Amino acid sequence: RAEFVTMVVESFGGSGLNSSPSYFSDVDQKAWYAKYVNKAYFAGYISGNSTFRPNDPITRAEAVAIVMKAA
């Protein structure tokens, strides 16, 4: 999930990246992907209930939803 979100943010404009503060409790602010996850959340590409599960596989439905929101 973290890798996919990183690719989407880079593809649709990664300006304004910021790793702090993180909305998601399971995203460490020091993680390499934190700034991409935060950008995706604040840009409206992703949503959640306070957890992101960055190491879980992404489903096709999640991938399509993220790309459609980003586009």
Side-chain angles (χ1 to χ4, degrees), residues 2 5 11 17 30 34 36 40-41 57 59 61:
V5 166
S11 296
L17 297 174
K30 297 176 185 171
Y36 297 101
Y41 175 75
T59 67

Side-chain angles (χ1 to χ4, degrees), residues 4 7 9 12 23 27 37 39-40 51-53 57 63-64 67 71:
F4 184 80
M7 290 189 305
V9 168
F12 290 94
Y23 170 78
V27 174
V37 172
K39 170 69 176 189
T51 60
F52 177 68
R53 301 181 325 271
V64 169
V67 169

Side-chain angles (χ1 to χ4, degrees), residues 5-61:
V5 166
T6 299
M7 290 189 305
V8 170
V9 168
E10 285 291 327
S11 296
F12 290 94
S15 62
L17 297 174
N18 186 357
S19 60
S20 172
S22 179
Y23 170 78
F24 299 104
S25 61
D26 58 352
V27 174
D28 182 4
Q29 293 179 4
K30 297 176 185 171
W32 65 268
Y33 53 81
K35 59 186 175 183
Y36 297 101
V37 172
N38 288 337
K39 170 69 176 189
Y41 175 75
F42 290 113
Y45 302 168
I46 59 175
S47 59
N49 60 356
S50 79
T51 60
F52 177 68
R53 301 181 325 271
N55 296 316
D56 285 2
I58 192 162
T59 67
R60 287 184 190 131

